[in-house]
Amino acid sequence: MGFFDKLQKPGHTALKQEKHVTHTETRKDVAGLKKPAFVHPIHSKPHKVPIDLPPKQNDIKGNGVKHNSPKPKISPKGRIHNSRKRASTTPQRQEWGSDNDVSDQDLNNLKKRARRNSTVKPDPDRCIRSRKAFSDENGGRFVMVHAADVATLNKPKNYKPAFPGNPECTEVFLQYPSASQKEKYELVIPVQNDDFKTLDDIREVMETIIRNYLPSDAAAHLTNDSTGLLRRVKRAVDRLAGSEYTGCIQEWNDSLNKYRQDGTIEKVINDWKTISLKLLERILTQTYARTVSPRVNELRHYENGTDNVYGELLPTFISTILKKDTKMKSDQIFVDLGSGVGNCVLQAALEVGCESWGCEMMENACDLAELQRREFEARCRLWGLSMGEIHLERGDFLINEGIRKVLQRADVVLVNNQAFTPALNEDLINLFLDLKEGAKVVSLKSFVPMGQKSQTKNAGAIYNILDVVQKMYYSKCVSWTDAPGTYFISTKDSSRVKEFA
């Protein structure tokens, strides 16, 4: 099971942040003046901050007449109690133990094509298909972590045979869309439910390829309710028929090779305007499951009460930031300050295709980030996708020379400063002086005090260079809570200070 899958499970608390972190604090001005209590900053201009909130039924309509319709009742499960269920950002992992595990409706849903966000303007300079992945370079072979390296009978306390009645059916090799090598899987099932699920991973790869890489007629053939390959794979698992299962995988490999060799897959990718979020999540989850999950306990060395508290922004949230809030393009630069194991850096490099930087000071997270980077590059080649350059720096981002230089060119800077101390947030403001005009800073705490207006008396405050907009995120966006929260988009605009010079 991958990191993102675990976080979607109700009640999951792995790597959850301690409750000592609050939303109210007192901090000193950069110039030494005392500021009002810092709760939730607002736009630094006199007018009201734009906030993304759901519309109210009593809002004034376009005709200027206030509609006094009865106020809807809020159930105990409503958002007011922060427990409203929203659609999961990644498919929940399931084991095929019976016909109830994967319903007919689940298989029917595969006939729907992958949805791509039509509200996001395509990047004409973004080349999504990897030419290298569809070539014979190096025989299509490269270093990667196979599923069989993670889930294997060599770990008898963790895994057992998936088809005990067919001892000869111990492994399969699964074809991906590209011309690259196949991935090796040992046909095992986990003893503990939270361990890697081989059969689920194979199924999810097949489903993702059908949704994204094949035309409708080919997808319909594979998802036919009676004779489709996915239906037969499911039946083989239900009946513990190992020979039937391996035969289905060989049929899958042959079919995918045919669609690649006749140019069908390349044509489909060339028609993409963006990469679907579900495909992004699958690649990120596969990468994490093969590199970080086996070593996840190393992340628990983070110390609560310091700047080194671990928490992740989940893919749906990052996608919103990259594509909607900042509208990043492939010729721009993304920087993540405090990048942890590198999830956001990897996602930006693939989703946008941009040059992507991260900086982390905790050695254990840096080591895992480097493992992820290498595996992510291999995974992108398996899936036939190109990505931007990835740079991972070690050390304190306040003094790291590589980060200080790239910040002068950066277009978007991400700072997950939810648990940062006030002192570190103040130091970051000084770091932002190096940003170019128009650069955007995305943070979970604002760097501008609540209600602060640019006036002559505070004209020397460095935070006046930031024009801040407050936004809302909802459930399934961060790893430490399922509750909604706020985040901030700050744009560097030095002209705001020049007005008072």
Side-chain angles (χ1 to χ4, degrees):
M1 177 175 284
F3 171 72
F4 302 115
D5 299 296
K6 287 185 177 181
L7 291 177
Q8 312 296 333
K9 296 177 70 175
H12 180 73
T13 57
L15 306 181
K16 191 171 182 179
Q17 187 170 304
E18 297 292 338
K19 293 183 179 180
H20 77 276
V21 178
T22 63
H23 290 282
T24 304
E25 60 191 41
T26 302
R27 50 182 278 188
K28 294 182 179 180
D29 184 81
V30 176
L33 298 176
K34 191 171 183 179
K35 298 181 181 178
F38 181 52
V39 188
H40 284 306
I42 61 173
H43 202 288
S44 53
K45 293 182 179 180
H47 58 271
K48 189 175 180 180
V49 184
I51 305 178
D52 291 345
L53 291 173
K56 297 181 180 179
Q57 298 217 357
N58 286 6
D59 284 350
I60 297 176
K61 306 299 180 183
N63 57 11
V65 179
K66 187 172 183 179
H67 293 256
N68 295 314
S69 57
K71 187 175 182 180
K73 294 181 179 180
I74 301 177
S75 68
K77 295 184 179 180
R79 179 168 290 161
I80 191 70
H81 291 94
N82 294 334
S83 60
R84 176 184 172 187
K85 292 185 177 180
R86 299 174 65 85
S88 174
T89 56
T90 58
Q92 292 295 313
R93 289 183 178 271
Q94 300 173 347
E95 279 195 279
W96 285 352
S98 69
D99 285 335
N100 293 330
D101 288 331
V102 180
S103 66
D104 292 342
Q105 183 62 40
D106 293 329
L107 295 177
N108 289 336
N109 286 340
L110 284 175
K111 299 175 183 178
K112 300 178 181 178
R113 311 309 301 146
R115 294 184 179 180
R116 303 183 190 281
N117 197 324
S118 59
T119 64
V120 178
K121 187 177 180 180
D123 181 357
D125 298 324
R126 171 75 167 110
C127 181
I128 297 177
R129 181 175 63 86
S130 168
R131 293 181 178 87
K132 182 178 181 180
F134 288 91
S135 71
D136 294 327
E137 183 176 333
N138 298 326
R141 304 192 66 81
F142 45 86
V143 176
M144 60 176 279
V145 181
H146 291 265
D149 298 325
V150 178
T152 171
L153 288 177
N154 292 332
K155 303 175 183 178
K157 293 183 179 179
N158 301 98
Y159 297 96
K160 57 186 179 181
F163 302 102
N166 301 102
E168 74 282 1
C169 299
T170 59
E171 64 183 32
V172 293
F173 291 83
L174 188 69
Q175 182 65 52
Y176 280 73
S178 69
S180 303
Q181 63 196 14
K182 300 179 181 68
E183 179 166 16
K184 180 181 178 181
Y185 289 83
E186 281 195 27
L187 297 180
V188 296
I189 56 176
V191 175
Q192 300 295 326
N193 192 50
D194 283 343
D195 282 333
F196 187 91
K197 297 181 175 64
T198 295
L199 302 185
D200 282 2
D201 196 80
I202 292 174
R203 170 177 56 84
E204 287 163 353
V205 169
M206 296 170 71
E207 291 175 353
T208 303
I209 292 173
I210 291 172
R211 282 195 182 101
N212 291 275
Y213 289 82
L214 300 181
S216 299
D217 55 344
H221 173 71
L222 293 171
T223 58
N224 183 277
D225 292 337
S226 300
T227 61
L229 182 60
L230 288 184
R231 172 63 69 182
R232 287 184 280 125
V233 167
K234 177 185 180 300
R235 289 171 181 165
V237 173
D238 291 342
R239 295 200 293 258
L240 298 180
S243 297
E244 183 179 340
Y245 184 87
T246 57
C248 288
I249 298 303
Q250 184 58 53
E251 182 180 338
W252 165 266
N253 293 343
D254 294 341
S255 297
L256 212 57
N257 282 329
K258 178 177 76 71
Y259 290 129
R260 187 191 73 254
Q261 292 167 0
D262 66 13
T264 297
I265 292 177
E266 290 186 59
K267 184 179 183 299
V268 171
I269 300 177
N270 289 338
D271 289 339
W272 292 357
K273 304 302 180 184
T274 61
I275 299 176
S276 74
L277 180 59
K278 294 297 183 183
L279 175 55
L280 280 165
E281 290 174 330
R282 178 97 317 266
I283 299 173
L284 288 166
T285 297
Q286 280 195 319
T287 302
Y288 193 100
R290 288 156 176 77
T291 55
V292 180
S293 287
R295 306 168 180 82
V296 72
N297 286 334
E298 296 179 25
L299 297 178
R300 301 185 189 279
H301 296 166
Y302 279 77
E303 299 179 14
N304 287 327
T306 71
D307 295 316
N308 302 319
V309 177
Y310 189 79
E312 286 288 349
L313 308 186
L314 301 183
T316 298
F317 189 16
I318 294 300
S319 184
T320 297
I321 291 171
L322 296 174
K323 307 299 285 187
K324 295 182 180 179
D325 292 334
T326 62
K327 297 178 174 59
M328 284 203 73
K329 301 297 181 184
S330 57
D331 60 351
Q332 295 183 313
I333 298 175
F334 173 83
V335 179
D336 185 2
L337 300 180
S339 52
V341 297
N343 290 333
C344 299
V345 179
L346 303 181
Q347 181 171 344
L350 179 55
E351 183 166 13
V352 181
C354 63
E355 183 179 341
S356 192
W357 289 71
C359 187
E360 175 60 46
M361 69 183 303
M362 299 298 293
E363 284 298 320
N364 49 4
C366 289
D367 294 340
L368 294 175
E370 186 57 37
L371 289 175
Q372 279 221 105
R373 182 191 64 79
R374 292 197 295 267
E375 182 64 18
F376 189 72
E377 290 174 348
R379 291 277 144 193
C380 286
R381 185 170 176 181
L382 274 181
W383 290 93
L385 305 176
S386 66
M387 53 187 288
E389 294 182 10
I390 295 175
H391 304 270
L392 297 174
E393 295 285 325
R394 294 174 181 249
D396 186 344
F397 52 67
L398 293 175
I399 59 176
N400 183 283
E401 285 300 319
I403 291 298
R404 295 188 73 93
K405 288 180 180 179
V406 77
L407 282 176
Q408 299 175 20
R409 302 184 292 120
D411 296 280
V412 175
V413 179
L414 175 65
V415 186
N416 179 2
N417 61 339
Q418 177 67 40
F420 283 4
T421 61
L424 180 54
N425 281 320
E426 289 180 4
D427 289 337
L428 279 167
I429 297 177
N430 289 285
L431 196 64
F432 297 153
L433 288 172
D434 294 333
L435 295 176
K436 64 184 181 183
E437 292 298 308
K440 297 183 183 298
V441 178
V442 183
S443 60
L444 270 66
K445 285 185 179 180
S446 179
F447 296 98
V448 179
M450 180 179 180
Q452 187 66 53
K453 300 178 182 179
S454 297
Q455 300 175 351
T456 303
K457 63 182 180 180
N458 65 3
I462 299 177
Y463 56 70
N464 282 327
I465 64 172
L466 299 177
D467 185 22
V468 185
V469 175
Q470 177 178 331
K471 290 180 170 286
M472 289 287 296
Y473 66 79
Y474 301 101
S475 61
K476 312 301 182 188
C477 282
V478 298
S479 66
W480 56 89
T481 180
D482 196 40
T486 54
Y487 66 106
F488 303 86
I489 311 292
S490 304
T491 304
K492 183 178 179 182
D493 182 5
S494 299
S495 65
R496 295 159 48 82
V497 177
K498 294 176 182 179
E499 296 176 5
F500 300 96

